[in-house]
Amino acid sequence: MKTKLIGVLVFLNFHLLFAQNSRLPAYPLITHDPYFSIWSTTDNLTESPTKHWTGAEHSLIGMIEVDGTVYHFLGKNGDNYETIIPAGDELNYEAAYTETYPGDNWMSPDLNDSQWKKGIAPFGNNPTMSKTQWNTRDIWMRRKFILNDLNAQALYLKLNHDDDVEVYLNGEVVYKVKGWTNKYIYVPISDIAKSKLKTGENLLAIHVINNVGGAILDAGIVEKIIPKENPKQQTAIQNSVKVNATQTIYNFTCGKVDLTLTFTSPLLINDLSVLARPVSYINATMKATDNLLHDVRIYLGASTDIATNTPSQEVQATKYSANGLAILKAGTTSQNILKLKGDDVRIDWGYMYVAVPKTNVLQSFAKSADISEAFKYIPGNNLGGKHLMLNTLVNIGKVGSTAKEQLFLIGYDDIQSIQYFHTNLSPWWRLDKGATIEGQLARAYKDYAVIIKKCEAINRMIYNDAFKAGGEQYAKLCELAYRQSIAAHKLVKSPTGELLFLSKENFSNGSINTVDVTYPSAPLFLAYNPDLLKGMLNGIFYYSESGNWTKPFAAHDLGTYPLANGQTYGEDMPVEECGNMIVLTAAIARIEGNALYAKKHWKTLSIWADYLSKEGLDPALQLCTDDFAGHLARNANLSMKAIVALGGYAQMAEQLGEKQTALKYRNITKNMASKWMEMATDGDHYSLTFNDKGTWSQKYNLVWDKLLKMNLFPKEVYEKEVAYYLTKQNAFGLPLDSRKTYTKSDWIIWTSVLASRPEDFKAIAEPMYKYATQTISRVPISDWHETTTGKMVGFQARSVVGGYFMKVLENKLKGK
């Protein structure tokens, strides 16, 4: 393995040496699907706890002991709390409440609240989260509780509120704020408020105002646990971090031992059996730097929070062995499979696994994330509780100038992954009869050397293709996007045997299989595996062709992840989604050289094409994929999408031998393109809408006219728009349009491909590299940011960064 690692470094040469001195918004460690996704959000691996893409702590801890001195190299202890008064996520407590103004002394312990209503917390208007429905503007809650002692030191209010809140403890104000969290926060209780506590009965009184949208109220009291310090523990010196398509590689100095830590999530886009296997590798390579022998032990801890939605959920951990591996397993005791849905949520069913070869290993459990005793063995084969740590300690023995390795496997079995029109679907890897997670772990271990070679080949392919297409900085953007885009999907098979590759709309409402998320994501999958793009379209086609969706245009989504039972988004996007589906089907036909996939869905495509021919040229007031920017009528870019979609439909008709249909739609699109230029012209550019002159927008949909060689728009349209864009750039890129200074980085890359000159492409695209390496928003890269500051506006960890591969796709389509 030492030789292989050297080979990786030789291949990556200068571009990885450059990468170690740059920074990324976040560093992918474990990336498989929207639930099994762990990241580091700081440049040094020990500066912060590792996290799920939502920001919830999914803690991995790594330490190495060299000659009795412990060096910490992975993760950080997060804040840990012990419950004093449980919140509603732990206990459905009863409290008095009213939605009518109760008077100025509502927070007083002396108030008689016997006439108030009684309800079970949490209170709110979300049926899946709330035990008591609250649908008015205001709620006042009074919760009485008993304290038997006052020995707790660092007390915190555990609070979830939406919107404005004021909190009192025995009449003393604890917290007031305007705004909302919609998740639990921990607010320190001041000494003054703490002094009001007494043995016996106490009162927590809260008022929340719901100004708009969601409403929630829940609260408890916890004590912050201060971890023990280990005087023998030091922090390893991090020398470098390098990111390629499938791996994140760190190097550390740990006293007299050099440690290389490689996280590999083998998302092989051309090998679905490996891509779907829910197992990542953490490989530690250790070598003495002084040619002497050193006693080495290495520790990996994994929090059971990885298998919960919140740390307050009860888990059960077990220890066993199978197929030559020592295994730790943990999951919630409730196991409510496919019951939880939404955006800012994590999986709380199925089981996480940590596995290593059985030789010289001790595995155990701890009751908290306190790692001060990590190198001490704790006996026991089972442990129940909350917020546990799974400990794996390996005695490496003597380490000298010859490198030694230790491999850890991290896996997750979600049992059932997706509900698809009310049928629960198992993960792809379970399609093999008799498949078990133990078998997957064993296969992953056995095939490690082969898998790493395949990962290295993918790394080379992704980097080299992107470098050839757009240069060094563009190649780095593609490397950053690769794992994020793939891991925002789940691979399953439908009841009728069709491949489904279903996205989650991360932090943009949690929808599953959103068509206008598939559309920007598509270039990565068109370039390297069109079958996966078909898997992103199949469900939408089925929705219409099954009769479940009867409108003459494509649906927006299939539901709320992971429940794909039908559209849940509140408004249709008729021109947007019809255009997206037709364009992407046409792109598949071009990349594959035939229209067989289109033929399968020709009736549906024809209905959508007819709709666009009537409604697409001058769109009525409606949303498009950039729905955050609001409704627009007469949207020039949306009109262009309809035109190129119909151009693609004409091309597919030609491929299928439908000459008259092809001729009809070629004439329609030529006429539409001519009218578009007349309506959108605005001097030295083309406007945002047909009726609002003095405006502008990125016409990123035009890229398909170029890539699919439709030739609907003359060269002057491209040149005029690109020249104008170059006058509108800010420090962190080109704004989406003239209404705001924010942008979408995926669309910027698409827009950059409109340029005919390499220097213009780079001028538009390379500010995205600046954004990626300088943003202060430390999350899996957001595709929606401010061009003036480089700060994210919203969205993160979304699949749409697959759109960064548009320049690569252009190269691959040349000659087809």
Side-chain angles (χ1 to χ4, degrees):
M1 184 56 206
K2 176 186 172 186
T3 303
K4 294 171 188 166
L5 183 58
I6 292 173
V8 176
L9 293 177
V10 169
F11 138 61
L12 293 171
N13 54 62
F14 75 92
H15 90 274
L16 275 189
L17 294 176
F18 177 78
Q20 71 184 7
N21 295 317
S22 63
R23 63 191 289 277
L24 300 180
Y27 299 85
L29 305 179
I30 309 291
T31 49
H32 287 274
D33 60 43
Y35 287 141
F36 193 27
S37 178
I38 305 175
W39 299 70
S40 173
T41 56
T42 48
D43 300 313
N44 286 311
L45 191 53
T46 56
E47 286 182 349
S48 65
T50 58
K51 299 175 181 179
H52 185 259
W53 66 260
T54 58
E57 292 180 10
H58 278 186
S59 184
L60 298 173
I61 299 289
M63 293 182 287
I64 187 170
E65 184 186 69
V66 179
D67 297 331
T69 299
V70 174
Y71 298 90
H72 173 207
F73 60 81
L74 165 60
K76 182 181 180 180
N77 257 352
D79 292 332
N80 296 291
Y81 302 91
E82 185 173 300
T83 299
I84 305 296
I85 305 299
D89 61 336
E90 296 182 72
L91 176 70
N92 296 139
Y93 62 85
E94 184 180 76
Y97 75 99
T98 181
E99 295 165 270
T100 305
Y101 180 61
D104 291 344
N105 67 336
W106 63 271
M107 77 291 291
S108 171
D110 298 326
L111 179 75
N112 182 355
D113 58 18
S114 60
Q115 299 304 307
W116 289 29
K117 293 181 284 188
K118 301 294 190 294
I120 303 298
F123 299 83
N125 61 7
N126 184 335
T128 62
M129 296 177 61
S130 307
K131 295 297 183 181
T132 299
Q133 288 299 296
W134 159 44
N135 297 303
T136 58
R137 179 178 181 271
D138 292 86
I139 188 169
W140 289 262
M141 184 195 81
R142 288 166 60 89
R143 179 186 183 185
K144 295 174 182 177
F145 60 92
I146 303 296
L147 284 181
N148 294 318
D149 65 64
L150 304 175
N151 294 326
Q153 298 300 311
L155 286 183
Y156 282 71
L157 174 71
K158 179 181 176 180
L159 178 66
N160 190 354
H161 68 94
D162 185 356
D163 296 313
D164 307 344
V165 66
E166 51 183 327
V167 183
Y168 293 83
L169 183 58
N170 289 341
E172 182 69 34
V173 64
V174 174
Y175 185 62
K176 280 186 180 183
V177 73
K178 291 185 180 296
W180 56 276
T181 63
N182 206 27
K183 63 181 178 180
Y184 291 98
I185 61 172
Y186 296 86
V187 180
I189 296 176
S190 68
D191 289 340
I192 294 175
K194 183 181 172 184
S195 70
K196 298 290 184 178
L197 289 171
K198 57 187 179 181
T199 55
E201 187 176 86
N202 295 265
L203 175 71
L204 189 62
I206 304 175
H207 173 215
V208 176
I209 301 172
N210 180 33
N211 296 306
V212 66
I216 190 72
L217 165 58
D218 188 25
I221 297 176
V222 297
E223 181 183 13
K224 187 175 182 179
I225 305 302
I226 308 301
K228 299 175 185 177
E229 296 291 336
N230 183 350
K232 292 186 177 181
Q233 181 175 308
Q234 300 180 26
T235 300
I237 299 171
Q238 182 175 309
N239 301 313
S240 65
V241 55
K242 308 168 185 178
V243 175
N244 56 47
T246 66
Q247 296 171 305
T248 302
I249 306 167
Y250 294 86
N251 180 262
F252 301 92
T253 297
C254 307
K256 299 298 183 182
V257 168
D258 179 274
L259 170 66
T260 297
L261 191 70
T262 303
F263 295 87
T264 304
S265 291
L267 301 182
L268 306 182
I269 198 166
N270 52 10
D271 187 335
L272 296 188
S273 64
V274 176
L275 183 147
R277 183 185 297 156
V279 181
S280 275
Y281 302 107
I282 303 177
N283 186 72
T285 301
M286 297 147 282
K287 181 180 178 181
T289 58
D290 59 0
N291 294 320
L292 300 178
L293 293 176
H294 300 276
D295 293 311
V296 174
R297 295 192 294 170
I298 192 166
Y299 164 86
L300 178 70
S303 171
T304 58
D305 293 349
I306 294 169
T308 68
N309 180 41
T310 66
S312 62
Q313 292 180 278
E314 291 277 348
V315 297
Q316 182 69 34
T318 58
K319 178 174 66 174
Y320 64 106
S321 61
N323 303 313
L325 297 174
I327 300 173
L328 295 172
K329 169 185 176 182
T332 60
T333 56
S334 58
Q335 288 298 306
N336 293 316
I337 295 175
L338 291 171
K339 298 300 183 184
L340 186 66
K341 65 177 181 177
D343 198 349
D344 189 4
V345 296
R346 290 136 300 274
I347 194 169
D348 64 355
W349 67 89
Y351 298 91
M352 61 177 290
Y353 294 81
V354 180
V356 290
K358 289 175 64 175
T359 306
N360 299 320
V361 62
L362 294 174
Q363 290 186 307
S364 62
F365 317 104
K367 276 193 170 287
S368 74
D370 180 11
I371 59 173
S372 61
E373 304 296 322
F375 286 84
K376 294 182 179 179
Y377 175 67
I378 304 170
N381 293 324
N382 298 276
L383 184 65
K386 302 174 184 177
H387 194 53
L388 306 180
M389 185 64 80
L390 307 184
N391 300 320
T392 298
L393 177 63
V394 182
N395 185 0
I396 304 300
K398 300 290 185 182
V399 172
S401 57
T402 300
K404 287 189 174 183
E405 294 187 19
Q406 178 60 47
L407 183 64
F408 300 88
L409 286 77
I410 309 291
Y412 203 98
D413 179 7
D414 59 8
I415 303 175
Q416 292 179 321
S417 306
I418 298 292
Q419 189 173 97
Y420 184 70
F421 294 98
H422 307 288
T423 298
N424 291 353
L425 304 181
S426 298
W428 183 272
W429 60 266
R430 282 191 180 273
L431 296 175
D432 293 334
K433 187 176 180 180
T436 65
I437 189 63
E438 290 81 7
Q440 293 295 300
L441 291 166
R443 183 69 181 270
Y445 178 67
K446 177 184 176 183
D447 293 349
Y448 175 66
V450 173
I451 295 299
I452 291 300
K453 285 185 176 180
K454 290 183 177 181
C455 286
E456 291 169 357
I458 289 286
N459 297 342
R460 286 191 295 271
M461 177 179 70
I462 295 300
Y463 176 76
N464 290 339
D465 286 355
F467 182 84
K468 180 181 178 181
E472 172 67 15
Q473 292 189 5
Y474 175 67
K476 292 303 299 175
L477 277 176
C478 290
E479 288 182 311
L480 171 63
Y482 181 83
R483 271 177 281 174
Q484 176 171 314
S485 185
I486 295 174
H489 297 83
K490 188 68 181 183
L491 182 64
V492 291
K493 183 170 282 191
S494 79
T496 58
E498 285 192 314
L499 185 153
L500 298 173
F501 194 52
L502 304 176
S503 64
K504 179 175 182 180
E505 200 172 332
N506 292 343
F507 270 13
S508 54
N509 79 4
S511 291
I512 186 170
N513 203 197
T514 301
V515 177
D516 55 284
V517 167
T518 294
Y519 180 65
S521 306
L524 167 62
F525 304 100
L526 278 167
Y528 294 109
N529 191 341
D531 284 344
L532 288 175
L533 180 56
K534 294 175 189 175
M536 298 154 76
L537 304 182
N538 285 337
I540 299 296
F541 278 123
Y542 172 80
Y543 195 14
S544 283
E545 292 162 0
S546 66
N548 289 305
W549 178 263
T550 58
K551 297 178 182 181
F553 47 79
H556 171 271
D557 61 79
L558 291 185
T560 300
Y561 196 92
L563 306 184
N565 296 323
Q567 179 173 310
T568 53
Y569 191 70
E571 186 171 349
D572 297 329
M573 297 184 187
V575 173
E576 174 70 38
E577 311 305 16
C578 281
N580 294 338
M581 291 294 292
I582 296 174
V583 164
L584 295 181
T585 306
I588 290 170
R590 176 57 62 94
I591 202 83
E592 292 189 332
N594 64 74
L596 295 178
Y597 183 70
K599 183 178 181 180
K600 182 179 178 181
H601 303 290
W602 193 243
K603 181 179 178 180
T604 304
L605 290 166
S606 297
I607 292 171
W608 294 341
D610 181 64
Y611 180 86
L612 289 183
S613 71
K614 298 171 182 176
E615 305 291 340
L617 174 60
D618 197 352
L621 183 68
Q622 60 190 277
L623 291 174
C624 70
T625 183
D626 304 316
D627 53 356
F628 52 85
H631 295 74
L632 270 183
R634 314 197 74 195
N635 182 336
N637 188 46
L638 185 59
S639 172
M640 185 169 278
K641 175 172 290 185
I643 296 168
V644 296
L646 293 177
Y649 180 78
Q651 288 182 334
M652 291 186 289
E654 185 75 32
Q655 286 177 287
L656 291 173
E658 296 197 7
K659 304 295 185 182
Q660 290 302 314
T661 300
L663 178 61
K664 172 185 174 181
Y665 277 92
R666 274 201 302 271
N667 290 335
I668 288 173
T669 53
K670 287 179 180 179
N671 182 51
M672 290 173 76
S674 178
K675 289 182 178 178
W676 186 95
M677 288 185 285
E678 291 177 11
M679 293 189 295
T681 188
D682 194 8
D684 59 354
H685 68 285
Y686 296 92
S687 57
L688 168 67
T689 69
F690 295 138
N691 56 307
D692 293 317
K693 301 307 176 182
T695 62
W696 64 274
S697 65
Q698 292 186 45
K699 307 302 189 298
Y700 52 80
N701 289 313
L702 181 60
V703 73
W704 295 109
D705 180 59
K706 180 179 182 180
L707 266 63
L708 300 185
K709 299 179 176 63
M710 297 177 186
N711 301 316
L712 297 173
F713 292 89
K715 186 178 180 182
E716 67 185 62
V717 174
Y718 292 83
E719 292 177 344
K720 184 183 288 190
E721 281 292 282
V722 169
Y724 190 77
Y725 299 150
L726 293 173
T727 71
K728 294 297 179 180
Q729 300 240 83
N730 289 324
F732 293 95
L734 178 67
L736 182 66
D737 58 47
S738 53
R739 290 174 291 177
K740 300 282 187 179
T741 56
Y742 58 55
T743 197
K744 293 282 274 79
S745 56
D746 47 348
W747 298 146
I748 282 184
I749 299 299
W750 287 38
T751 297
S752 71
V753 178
L754 301 180
S756 58
R757 301 192 310 162
E759 56 268 34
D760 291 340
F761 161 76
K762 289 187 175 183
I764 297 173
E766 289 190 348
M768 293 309 90
Y769 180 78
K770 180 180 179 181
Y771 158 63
T773 56
Q774 295 184 21
T775 180
I776 62 172
S777 303
R778 305 310 300 269
V779 299
I781 193 167
S782 168
D783 53 285
W784 181 20
H785 73 271
E786 265 293 342
T787 61
T788 54
T789 64
K791 185 178 180 181
M792 68 178 286
V793 179
F795 308 161
Q796 63 195 55
R798 300 208 311 164
S799 66
V800 302
V801 295
Y804 292 179
F805 285 80
M806 185 58 87
K807 190 68 174 174
V808 171
L809 179 61
E810 180 189 32
N811 270 16
K812 288 186 175 292
L813 283 171
K814 287 178 180 177
K816 284 188 176 289

